[in-house]
Amino acid sequence: MWILWLIAVLCVIYYVIIVAYSGLSTSFSLIWLLLAACCVLFGVGWDAYLKQKDKVPLWIPVSVVTICCTGILVFTIVEILVFTGVAVRDTSKIDYVIVLGARVKEDGISKSLKNRLDKAIDYLDENPGTILVLSGAKGEDEPVSEAEAMRDYLVFNGVKETQLILEARSYSTVENIAYSRVAIEEDQERKKVESQESPIMMDPGTYEEVSDKPIKIGVLTSDFHVFRAQQIAKKWGIPDIYGISCKSDPVLFVHFCVRECVAILKDKLVGNM
């Protein structure tokens, strides 16, 4: 019972840390108060069960313990998938990298988004031929769209605008992938038209036609988010997606992992992945 009370106290403390560090508007932060309340209820219920053991049907404690153990098992399996799903594939020379947006504050970009953009800059330094697709719309509490904020940060840090494609219609990871795919297809079509309008003249017999080279597409996001982004991309028409991960905020890391577990289960349930 004391373990449950300790977990409840730790959940409340972590919630206070999240609010102090990132603000009351931090998404899904109330889950920690809910977990604390559940621990208190389980603790009180366990104490009452021990005192009234003979009067409580056996199926009640068995059901509660089974549900709790199942929840812990599911969470463990999902987290294993999340952090083993970041495949160690060769991610060099990818044609397009979709950079997923994150919250933009009144005073600038969030730490999560900064980490993603810094990773994108490092990637471009090693792969200058890659095009970045900056994906993210303008939320109700955001001064500009996430795509615009990403562009401004990247251009300020020396990235050419010709290497950037803005996708500012998406409000979720599913929309990030779907609209980014459309943006990539439109860019490919534009390049195809330009090449037809300005063909390279060669003497007959000095070349042979080859089929179009398949393009390589990657997705760049926080480490805890790569698995879900890849699975959604495979579901929504990009079967061979390359995952590129960046570090996440150490203070919010546990919170992100819990939130991501719920998001994965939800997306799996509704058929997004």
Side-chain angles (χ1 to χ4, degrees), residues 138-247:
K138 179 182 180 296
E140 293 181 359
D141 60 343
E142 293 178 310
V144 296
S145 72
E146 294 168 6
E148 291 176 296
M150 288 191 279
R151 177 199 59 196
D152 294 343
Y153 183 88
L154 291 171
V155 171
F156 180 80
N157 284 277
V159 177
K160 299 176 182 177
E161 283 202 59
T162 53
Q163 288 183 278
L164 306 176
I165 297 175
L166 269 64
E167 182 290 294
R169 295 184 290 172
S170 54
Y171 290 92
S172 66
T173 303
V174 173
E175 292 183 357
N176 285 147
I177 299 298
Y179 286 132
S180 293
R181 179 191 170 194
V182 172
I184 291 171
E185 290 173 348
E186 290 174 346
D187 188 63
Q188 283 286 294
E189 187 62 29
R190 178 186 61 79
K191 289 180 178 178
K192 187 175 182 179
V193 171
E194 289 178 354
S195 66
Q196 290 174 346
E197 292 175 349
S198 303
I200 300 174
M201 304 303 295
M202 299 182 69
D203 295 331
T206 60
Y207 71 96
E208 60 178 334
E209 291 187 6
V210 296
S211 57
D212 292 339
K213 171 191 169 186
I215 61 173
K216 294 171 66 176
I217 301 176
V219 58
L220 190 160
T221 186
S222 304
D223 47 14
F224 63 87
H225 193 208
V226 171
F227 173 78
R228 181 159 63 101
Q230 285 182 295
Q231 297 305 310
I232 289 174
K234 292 175 182 178
K235 178 76 174 183
W236 291 83
I238 312 177
D240 191 25
I241 187 87
Y242 291 77
I244 304 171
S245 66
C246 69
K247 64 181 180 179

Side-chain angles (χ1 to χ4, degrees), residues 22 33 55-56 60 95 145 189 191 218 237 240 253:
S22 189
L33 294 183
K55 298 180 181 180
V56 179
I60 294 179
D95 298 294
S145 72
E189 187 62 29
K191 289 180 178 178
D240 191 25
F253 179 73

Side-chain angles (χ1 to χ4, degrees), residues 11 16 31 46 54-55 74-75 81 100 107 124 135 138-139 158 171 197 216 223 228 237 271 273:
C11 287
V16 173
I31 187 66
W46 183 253
D54 297 334
K55 298 180 181 180
V74 169
F75 176 78
L81 288 173
L100 301 188
D107 57 349
L124 283 185
S135 181
K138 179 182 180 296
Y171 290 92
E197 292 175 349
K216 294 171 66 176
D223 47 14
R228 181 159 63 101
M273 54 181 286

Side-chain angles (χ1 to χ4, degrees), residues 3 8-9 18-19 22 43 57 59-60 75 90-91 93 95 102-103 110 113 129 136 173 222 224 242 251 259:
I3 294 177
V9 171
I18 290 172
V19 170
S22 189
W59 66 268
I60 294 179
F75 176 78
D90 179 15
T91 58
K93 298 180 181 179
D95 298 294
R103 185 183 174 194
S110 61
L113 187 52
T173 303
S222 304
F224 63 87
Y242 291 77
V251 176
R259 187 183 70 181

Side-chain angles (χ1 to χ4, degrees), residues 111-131:
K111 293 182 180 180
S112 293
L113 187 52
K114 183 179 184 303
N115 288 338
R116 297 178 190 182
L117 296 176
D118 288 342
K119 180 70 174 184
I121 292 171
D122 291 341
Y123 185 87
L124 283 185
D125 288 341
E126 298 177 3
N127 304 274
T130 297
I131 301 295

